[in-house]
């Protein structure tokens, strides 16, 4: 009798934990996803620098949202720079750079300054500053499980960098 009721207790605790984990997963999948430039994608905008300024002003980006940089590999890149370097289109020693199209999830309430490092592209308007507002609901605290923290040495450099700058490739 006693043994059976203890087992029930364990099952109950377990299902509560599963429900909590499931709701965390649901919360993260609620993040909105945006294609940078919408139909144009990430390229030298035919209509100049206003293109990406207008694109960014159309949306209210929130922490955990995802940006999808779509472009032909080898023709553009995704280069994160400081505000100062964004203004002067300086892609020397960027904070982060990726040569492949990718989706990024943004984890900190901050403004991120992206340019393309191909010669002349930024100057022709291929640059976008995106501000992510804090998330309304408190984000779940990171789980301190060992699975969540692989040894730093095994991580590709790009990933380490992106963690440092508040976003990650997804
Ligand atoms: C370009 O950015 C790099 C890295 O931040 C910096 O060291 C360099 O001085 C910048 N160049 C100019 C012309 O500002
Ligand atoms: Cu470009």
């Amino acid at each position: 009798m006693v043994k059976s009721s203890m087992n029930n207790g364990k099952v109950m605790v377990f299902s509560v934990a599963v429900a909590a984990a499931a709701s965390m997963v649901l919360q993260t999948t609620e993040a909105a996803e945006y294609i940078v430039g919408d139909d144009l994608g990430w390229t030298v905008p035919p209509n100049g620098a206003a293109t990406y300024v207008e694109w960014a002003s159309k949306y209210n980006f929130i922490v955990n949202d995802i940006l999808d940089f779509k472009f032909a590999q080898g023709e553009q890149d995704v280069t994160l720079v400081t505000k100062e370097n964004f203004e002067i289109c300086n892609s020397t020693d960027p904070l982060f750079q990726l040569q492949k199209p990718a989706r990024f999830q943004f984890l900190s309430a901050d403004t991120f300054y992206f340019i393309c490092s191909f010669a002349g592209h930024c100057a022709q308007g291929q640059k976008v500053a995106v501000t992510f507002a804090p998330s309304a609901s408190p984000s779940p605290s990171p789980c301190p499980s060992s699975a969540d923290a692989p040894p730093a040495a095994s991580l590709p450099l790009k990933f380490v960098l992106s963690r440092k700058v508040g976003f990650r490739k997804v």
Side-chain angles (χ1 to χ4, degrees), residues 80-102:
L80 180 80
V81 295
T82 61
K83 184 176 194 286
E84 290 72 25
N85 286 334
F86 177 83
E87 275 152 17
I88 60 172
C89 290
N90 174 14
S91 58
T92 308
D93 291 332
L95 301 171
F96 170 87
Q97 188 172 60
L98 192 66
Q99 270 88 25
K100 290 180 189 169

Side-chain angles (χ1 to χ4, degrees), residues 75-76 116 118 121 126:
E75 294 180 19
Q76 325 294 339
C116 174
F118 280 58
H121 289 200
Q126 191 177 6

Side-chain angles (χ1 to χ4, degrees), residues 69-74 76-78 96-104 158 169:
F69 285 85
K70 288 191 157 175
F71 57 89
Q73 193 172 332
Q76 325 294 339
D77 64 25
V78 181
F96 170 87
Q97 188 172 60
L98 192 66
Q99 270 88 25
K100 290 180 189 169
R103 292 158 71 244
F104 300 100
K158 269 181 278 194
K169 200 167 166 292

Side-chain angles (χ1 to χ4, degrees), residues 29-92:
T29 54
E30 270 169 24
E33 181 164 343
Y34 303 90
I35 296 169
V36 177
D38 295 327
D39 290 345
L40 178 66
W42 181 236
T43 189
V44 175
N47 298 322
T51 307
Y52 289 111
V53 175
E54 280 162 17
W55 173 81
S57 70
K58 279 200 297 185
Y59 303 111
N60 295 311
F61 303 99
I62 296 168
V63 167
N64 290 327
D65 282 352
I66 292 167
L67 294 187
D68 187 359
F69 285 85
K70 288 191 157 175
F71 57 89
Q73 193 172 332
E75 294 180 19
Q76 325 294 339
D77 64 25
V78 181
T79 303
L80 180 80
V81 295
T82 61
K83 184 176 194 286
E84 290 72 25
N85 286 334
F86 177 83
E87 275 152 17
I88 60 172
C89 290
N90 174 14
S91 58
T92 308

